[in-house]
Amino acid sequence: MQSIAIVGGGVAGLGAAYSLRDRAAHVTLFERDDDIGGRAATRHRDGCAYDYGANYLKDGDSRVTELVKGPLSDGLVEVDGPVWTFDAAGEVSPGRDADEHKWTYEDGIATLAVRLCDAADPAVRTEATVESLERTNDGWVVWTSDGSADGERAGRVRNGAFDAVVLTPTAPNTADVLAAAEWDHPVCERIREAVAAVPYRTIISVALHYPFSVDVPHYALVNTDREHEVGWLSREECKPGHVPGGESLLVVQMAPDWSASRYGDEGDAIAADAAEHASELLDDDRLAEPDWHDIGEWRYALPDDGVAEGAVERARNHDLYLAGDWVAGDGRLHAALVSGIETGELLGQGG
Ligand SMILES: Cc1cc2nc3c(=O)[nH]c(=O)nc-3n(C[C@H](O)[C@H](O)[C@H](O)COP(=O)(O)OP(=O)(O)OC[C@H]3O[C@@H](n4cnc5c(N)ncnc54)[C@H](O)[C@@H]3O)c2cc1C
């Protein structure tokens, strides 16, 4: 039986596991965090669920649509309301709601990962950061820093051996794993260089809660000229099950330049700025003072481009597979999921 390691428990890694679910393969998924989902991320507080990474899944791929309306449909809900636009001056205009369907789950977008994982049923190891890979004669050894596997060396833990490895962390995280790899072959550095070159946008996402409802005719506002300090502002109460009646929870995603310059700053100051912007954009003074807030920082939020052609095939020739939104060249859930599914299918066919 083929033994496969998947690194990363976002939708790409889980999509790969899903494709392999009925194959004669033993699949182990290593996830750095204490939970799966990656950037399909939801938090809970005071009866609210809020998606502070990906806002929703759009119907961007027919296979993904079939999956979420079929085997992954339990708890799926449609976001209610249109997306409007605003410009550098904060001028709001109706329109540009390009996505026919906007899906999340009643308990948040992270449920997408849970549904995939339940259906795929891989062996999941959370809090298991893959530090490095080691090339052997017939496959790969995976070195983690979790301290819970079957042998130790220099503070690291040996897991393996695997016939193939699928790498799905963001491109910079994948490049780190490749930089540490014990793989004495010139192609390793060529692949690492291509992966490390993928450009990313940083986003700070701010959740602002209010004990009253905000009455506006749109679900979200998106900044179309990319000149405003806010990139996106949306209302979680437009997602069935997310916010108790009579309350409002705004998600304000700050623009990439602003986010990069304020990354790591004190959360209260970031939230105060985001709340001030929310109050101006929605023309409601009350919004400057939320009763609570929460901050999510995404250093590598969205890839601005895909990995250079050739790198994926070069890696595959050595039983090393790359998947994720940065492989698809599109920072979207459906693109990441398809990338994972197609990678799993290739593996299932024996590469
Ligand atoms: C603020 C924000 C808003 C967004 N809005 C939308 C939206 O509205 N709609 C949409 O479709 N998409 C949106 N996206 C993009 C979407 O979230 C991503 O495209 C998608 O989640 C990528 O999935 P992935 O599996 O490729 O990567 P990830 O979800 O990043 O998964 C990679 C996983 O690898 C793990 N990992 C990293 N390094 C290691 C390691 N060394 N060892 C083990 N595990 C490791 C990480 O913890 C993570 O769980 C948004 C993203 C952000 C950040």
Side-chain angles (χ1 to χ4, degrees):
M1 185 185 279
Q2 237 189 336
S3 179
I4 295 165
I6 297 176
V7 183
V11 296
L14 290 162
Y18 183 80
S19 287
L20 291 162
R21 70 197 180 287
D22 295 327
R23 307 279 174 173
H26 185 267
V27 178
T28 307
L29 185 143
F30 296 91
E31 168 53 49
R32 177 184 63 185
D33 291 345
D34 60 1
D35 209 350
I36 55 169
R39 282 169 280 159
T42 306
R43 285 182 184 155
H44 297 89
R45 177 163 168 181
D46 295 352
C48 298
Y50 47 105
D51 300 326
Y52 68 101
N55 302 292
Y56 61 82
L57 173 74
K58 71 174 196 169
D59 53 347
D61 182 278
S62 57
R63 294 175 69 182
V64 172
T65 300
E66 274 172 36
L67 264 182
V68 295
K69 294 186 84 175
L72 311 182
S73 64
D74 190 15
L76 190 74
V77 291
E78 289 228 18
V79 183
D80 187 22
V83 178
W84 286 16
T85 63
F86 64 99
D87 63 14
E91 188 74 32
V92 172
S93 318
R96 220 211 75 160
D97 197 9
D99 302 332
E100 199 181 323
H101 294 285
K102 300 186 275 292
W103 288 300
T104 181
Y105 286 82
E106 209 164 2
D107 200 36
I109 196 73
T111 305
L112 174 61
V114 175
R115 294 281 175 272
L116 275 167
C117 195
D118 288 349
D121 202 23
V124 177
R125 297 262 311 279
T126 50
E127 295 185 77
T129 302
V130 172
E131 302 282 349
S132 170
L133 303 175
E134 179 188 336
R135 183 71 196 174
T136 60
N137 286 340
D138 52 0
W140 293 95
V141 167
V142 171
W143 288 89
T144 56
S145 58
D146 61 356
S148 60
D150 62 0
E152 292 206 19
R153 194 175 67 178
R156 299 181 305 156
V157 179
R158 183 181 205 274
N159 306 265
F162 296 97
D163 300 305
V165 175
V166 184
L167 289 172
T168 75
T170 59
N173 291 141
T174 292
D176 285 347
V177 173
L178 291 171
E182 294 170 46
W183 181 16
D184 191 15
H185 193 297
V187 79
C188 178
E189 180 53 17
R190 283 187 75 188
I191 299 166
R192 190 205 63 77
E193 271 177 13
V195 173
V198 175
Y200 272 80
R201 271 180 262 170
T202 295
I203 295 178
I204 296 180
S205 188
V206 186
L208 305 169
H209 179 269
Y210 304 91
F212 51 83
S213 54
V214 173
D215 190 21
V216 287
H218 42 75
Y219 150 59
L221 297 176
V222 63
N223 175 223
T224 36
D225 58 17
R226 297 192 178 188
E227 297 282 341
H228 200 281
E229 290 188 342
V230 172
W232 167 272
L233 184 159
S234 54
R235 296 187 298 138
E236 286 295 297
E237 59 268 30
C238 295
K239 298 175 175 175
H242 279 227
V243 182
E247 300 177 19
S248 190
L249 201 161
L250 304 182
V251 169
V252 183
Q253 288 169 4
M254 303 307 293
D257 286 349
W258 192 97
S259 298
S261 70
R262 299 288 297 271
Y263 199 85
D265 277 8
E266 207 249 323
D268 288 350
I270 287 175
D273 282 2
E276 199 57 50
H277 279 302
S279 148
E280 280 167 20
L281 283 168
L282 299 184
D283 195 20
D284 185 338
D285 291 345
R286 300 173 302 165
L287 301 181
E289 294 197 14
D291 63 348
W292 57 261
H293 66 259
D294 191 16
I295 310 282
E297 294 190 308
W298 301 100
R299 167 72 77 195
Y300 307 119
L302 298 171
D304 257 334
D305 200 357
V307 65
E309 231 172 278
V312 176
E313 291 72 19
R314 248 172 241 128
R316 200 188 300 148
N317 290 335
H318 298 269
D319 300 315
L320 189 60
Y321 292 73
L322 307 176
D325 56 355
W326 56 278
V327 175
D330 186 10
R332 294 281 152 202
L333 284 168
H334 67 273
L337 181 49
V338 169
S339 170
I341 287 172
E342 289 178 346
T343 303
E345 283 171 353
L346 272 174
L347 265 161
Q349 293 156 9

